[in-house]
Amino acid sequence: MNSPSSSIEDTQQFDATSNLRLARPVIELEDVRKIYRSGSLSVEALRGIALSIGQGEYVAVMGPSGSGKSTLMHIIGCLDVVSTGRYRLAGEDVEVMDEEQLADVRNRRIGFVFQQFNLLPSMTAQRNVELPLVYAGVERAERRARATAALERVGMGERLEHRPGELSGGQQQKVAIARALVTDPALVLADEPTGNLDSASSADILDVFDELHRSDRTVVLITHEAEVASRAERVVRMRDGVIVTETPVAAGPGDSR
Amino acid sequence: MNLGETLRTGLEAIRSHRMRSGLTVLGILIGIAAVIMTVGLGEGAQSKVSSEISSLGTNLLTVSPGSSTSSSGIRGGFGSSNTLTLQDAEALTSKEVAPDVAAVAPTTSDSEVLTAGNNNWTTTVVGSKPDWLSVRDRTVTDGRFIDNEDVTDHTDVVVLAPDTAEELFGFEDPVGQSVDIAGVPMTVIGELNSVSGSSSSSSSSSTTEDQDDEAIVPISTAADQLFGGTSRDSVQDILIEATSGSTLSAAYQEVDDELLMLHHITTPADADFTIATQQQLLSTATSVDKTLTVLLAGIAAISLLVGGIGVMNIMLVSVTERVREIGLRKALGATPKLIRRQFLVESSVLGLSGGILGAGLGIVGTQVLPGLVNQPMSLSPAATVGAIVIAMAIGLGFGVYPATRAARLAPIDALRTE
């Protein structure tokens, strides 16, 4: 809600040329490669990615299955580590961090929204949203207040005490977004957030992302749907572990798959 | 994340797997209850035996004639010879000779037929002196015991144990009545207390002959009128009571020295008498029971170990089942340390609750079981507290490996698992 932003950037929020706005990149990838080895078999999922995403940008990553977009997302989200290459998040080198530091980065800087929602079924919506704050060491009363505020922000203020099983898919995803927002991260990552939702819920969720973007958060999302991608400022297309094109939005026929 | 939060998370996880957690707790519970009950059974048996032995009289030395071995290789006639005499017993009452001896009771005994009216009853008739009462740790509930005058005057009087009195006189008051012993009429002057309570019949060994069925007469009367024998001065045993438990060995030495001197024996190995202490009987009996206790506790400990492996198994299953949850928690910023701690809390809560419930069952068992199996059990607080601590340690110990495994999971691998 108060990520560092300059007034210059604010004026450029919906500028189609914002992919040129690289003065203070949040994400910098240089020649990133990821090789999965299993026995003698090794698969290169990323073959030299160079990507820079600036503060406040709204980027959609598209590409067919196996193009490496999920791997890229996991590396950006510090859930996975690079094999070679360099990844700097908000100016800090990630590949040299140990487990404790990575946990801290995931906790404070990144909000991750999954296709599968990944809510803990035994906990209420509010407890689910509180979880990152628990790991951040925030004390209970403040935690509750912040979780409530985050849920209200995504329009779930009336369902604090509901468990995930009692919520629809769209509602669950909103809770998951609230959880991603509650630590006030600069970067919100979403891996096909609307992949499991009907079109009405999808539109709802995308509105929430638009709103996040308007409040100057960096948003990166993976999608198959051109309609989703069209809401972003920039579309990154991947194929076979490399970035094929980076186009400002207004792009034509997206990958339907 | 503080400990309270970790505990809360652990409890939440346990609650969401009620059946599985319940079965794990049950495994520990049975192990702990088994340990407490077997230790209780062993200790109960020990204290029963020791109370039976000490009911014969405390700080007691028994001098018997004959020796078990002799230097010439010929076994002395144990009990058959008449090497102990009233004079020996008399000498031991001297405070100068044996300052640590409190009471001396020479005894002779034989089985005789007692007749009162139309009833007759065969029992052990013991000839002794007034000190018998204190040496044997008995009291007279009715009338009086034999006194020194009875002994010097060779009075025809008898003191009956309660069961003997009941056999002869039913519920009538025996005191003042007459009873024939081996055809000699005697007057009943008193009745002894009952010692054996309910456990008299069960496991009485030769050392604990039924003490509620006997008749005591003055030793002089017994020698004159009842038993006869080759020497009127010889006695079968001399029962000696030391002044206290701590002076027992001193008393032993004094009695040994004095009797060797009186019998003109120079080498102790040639002694024509044997001195036995209650302690010797006691230690033999309790060591047998101790072996049994160790054996039983060993079996119980194995069941506890099996319970511990159960905890480990459940925790491993729990880790495997919750890989996604662990991945998610890590993605939200949980450090490996926190994940490990969460699983450790979970497993030690399982162990601890199994321990507490098991201790509860064990305590109930030690109260209820003795009535059902007619065996005394005692509750050992040390074993109870120890068992609870062990249960928690088992939970913790066997939880380390699964917890470490959970902590090591890479977040993305964990999240990918279906």
Side-chain angles (χ1 to χ4, degrees), chain B residues 28 32 94 99 112 118 139 159 166 204 235 292 322-324 344-345 356 359 366 394:
Chain B
I28 300 271
I32 293 295
S94 157
E112 299 287 353
N118 295 327
T139 55
V159 177
E166 196 185 320
S204 297
V235 298
L292 199 70
R322 283 153 63 198
V323 161
R324 261 185 94 80
L344 280 181
V345 164
I356 289 172
T366 50
I394 280 176

Side-chain angles (χ1 to χ4, degrees), chain A residues 74-127:
Chain A
H74 294 147
I75 284 175
I76 292 175
C78 296
L79 298 176
D80 210 347
V81 289
V82 300
S83 296
T84 60
R86 199 156 177 221
Y87 171 31
R88 297 170 75 169
L89 176 68
E92 288 178 72
D93 270 317
V94 171
E95 70 270 11
V96 298
M97 291 183 180
D98 63 19
E99 271 284 341
E100 301 271 316
Q101 290 170 306
L102 282 174
D104 185 57
V105 166
R106 289 194 286 258
N107 186 248
R108 285 191 302 113
R109 296 202 186 275
I110 300 165
F112 213 113
V113 179
F114 303 90
Q115 184 178 358
Q116 316 284 353
F117 321 139
N118 280 340
L119 298 173
L120 294 183
S122 62
M123 294 184 178
T124 63
Q126 190 176 37
R127 282 279 292 159

